[in-house]
Amino acid sequence: MAVERTLSIIKPDAVAKNAIGEILGRFEKAGLKVVAMKMLHLSREQAEGFYAEHKERPFFGDLVGFMTSGPVTVQVLEGEDAVKKNRDLMGATNPKDAEAGTIRADFAETIDENAVHGSDSTESAAREVDYFFADEEICPRTR
Ligand code: GDP
Ligand code: MG
């Protein structure tokens, strides 16, 4: 297994629930390291650009409305198999299908407000990390 980086977002619903720390704690306990992070309130343009692959989906307008409804935290997680490890910690897209103990099972109720985003492949991760962070904003963990 290779050391990878993946993009994670704590979405507006989970930030509003004051669950930032608990969710970041799950990443850390699983051995993923935060190597970059910021809090921001996405503009409509930022949210539309980030989710461009879903532009034709019927829920796109709702998704953009939700993602711009309050602040989010955006972080880069690094570790062995980070893309899959993060997706496993997140659980299924629909919290109703998410395995017990996953972030979505514990912090979300509906598919449209599902607590977290995580890159779905190393290719998406590279694009998504680049979407939010300049190279010099990523801090390799050397100690
Ligand atoms: P993910 O990779 O597990 O986040 O899921 P997708 O890439 O398929 O979808 C992106 C995001 O769009 C999801 O996390 C949801 O927030 C949202 N979404 C997906 N399907 C639906 C839906 O049927 N209705 C609504 N309102 N939002 C959805
Ligand atoms: Mg996705």
Side-chain angles (χ1 to χ4, degrees):
M1 265 182 300
V3 173
E4 296 171 349
R5 285 177 179 168
T6 190
L7 187 89
S8 161
I9 302 178
I10 301 178
K11 294 183 176 182
D13 58 324
V15 172
K17 285 179 181 157
N18 231 10
I20 297 170
E22 280 190 70
I23 292 173
L24 292 178
R26 292 188 182 208
F27 300 142
E28 293 191 327
K29 285 197 187 79
L32 294 171
K33 293 178 178 175
V34 176
V35 294
M37 70 184 304
K38 59 178 83 170
M39 187 173 212
L40 69 174
H41 193 140
L42 295 177
S43 67
R44 171 161 291 275
E45 291 68 32
Q46 277 176 310
E48 286 175 351
F50 182 73
Y51 279 118
E53 64 176 312
H54 294 307
K55 207 165 55 193
E56 305 306 329
R57 309 281 284 277
F59 58 80
F60 185 68
D62 288 342
L63 175 59
V64 169
F66 164 56
M67 290 300 291
T68 57
S69 66
V72 299
T73 75
V74 185
Q75 48 279 331
V76 179
L77 306 176
E78 183 179 86
E80 291 277 335
D81 211 15
V83 171
K84 180 172 187 300
K85 197 176 268 184
N86 181 40
R87 295 288 303 198
D88 288 348
L89 291 167
M90 288 164 57
T93 305
N94 189 340
K96 293 181 171 58
D97 302 328
E99 265 183 60
T102 61
I103 294 168
R104 283 168 165 168
D106 290 346
F107 295 99
E109 286 84 43
T110 64
I111 191 168
D112 43 303
E113 300 203 353
N114 60 3
V116 280
H117 168 84
S119 309
D120 62 7
S121 67
T122 52
E123 293 74 24
S124 309
R127 175 172 48 76
E128 292 176 359
V129 168
D130 202 49
Y131 191 82
F132 283 112
F133 294 96
D135 287 350
E136 61 269 24
E137 290 180 296
I138 298 173
C139 303
R141 300 276 289 261
T142 53
R143 55 171 286 176

